Amino acid sequence: MKTLIALFAVTALTLPVLTSAESLQFKRSSGDGYDDYTGQITVSGEYSRDFDDEVQGDVVCFVAKGGSAKLIPRKKGDERSPWFCFRNQKTAAQTFKINNRPANKGYCGYKGTATVTINQYSTYTEISEGSDLAQLISAKNVSAPKQTKCASY
């Protein structure tokens, strides 16, 4: 019985530590249109890079999908999709093997799936064009990138 009580005590003490290791906590509003968060999370979804994106520019971004999308911080009433762009663009492009523009005419980018671990999350709070930002720590289950057709504006 003492062993069982000890096991429950250890579990009760370590569970909050394990949970906080995979969550983001609000740190501050930076005043430049971002709310900053501490901690790290692991999310699954789709990475993409569009070399000709007229709004964001040539950046590597990620959309969290499924249950992990709930880990992306959103304030009450914020119904934007759970997506962000990477702070460390060079690392992200190398990780997903999407460094160069597609050679095939009519294709302007890439997309694929992965599970990424991120930190240094910042939520974009302005009403204009912009994106959340996150630092890529690692990636696993990375699918080969597929070429995407150019957007027709």
Side-chain angles (χ1 to χ4, degrees):
M1 185 66 168
K2 285 184 180 181
T3 305
L4 189 57
I5 293 171
L7 179 62
F8 283 129
V10 169
T11 302
L13 292 173
T14 58
L15 191 56
V17 173
L18 294 174
T19 303
S20 67
E22 280 291 320
S23 66
L24 298 172
Q25 297 83 33
F26 179 76
K27 182 178 179 182
R28 69 173 178 264
S29 289
S30 63
D32 62 353
Y34 288 94
D35 285 345
D36 298 327
Y37 292 80
T38 61
Q40 75 178 35
I41 55 173
T42 300
V43 293
S44 296
E46 185 176 88
Y47 65 85
S48 64
R49 181 175 188 182
D50 182 346
F51 288 85
D52 292 340
D53 188 299
E54 290 185 2
V55 176
Q56 294 295 321
D58 172 15
V59 292
V60 181
C61 297
F62 195 88
V63 178
K65 306 247 181 181
S68 67
K70 295 176 185 172
L71 296 173
I72 301 297
R74 293 288 182 252
K75 290 185 177 179
K76 188 174 183 173
D78 184 348
E79 296 183 14
R80 293 176 298 139
S81 66
W83 75 284
F84 55 89
C85 296
F86 295 102
R87 293 178 185 279
N88 48 342
Q89 286 289 305
K90 185 175 180 180
T91 299
Q94 291 171 342
T95 298
F96 303 125
K97 297 177 177 55
I98 52 176
N99 292 307
N100 301 315
R101 175 183 284 277
N104 295 338
K105 186 174 181 173
Y107 290 86
C108 294
Y110 298 96
K111 69 178 179 178
T113 58
T115 298
V116 297
T117 300
I118 56 172
N119 68 3
Q120 296 181 26
Y121 200 91
S122 296
T123 302
Y124 187 69
T125 60
E126 298 295 314
I127 301 177
S128 62
E129 299 295 333
S131 69
D132 291 3
L133 300 172
Q135 183 81 11
L136 176 63
I137 298 172
S138 65
K140 61 183 180 180
N141 305 322
V142 178
S143 72
K146 295 179 182 169
Q147 294 182 7
T148 57
K149 291 192 177 208
C150 299
S152 54
Y153 297 101

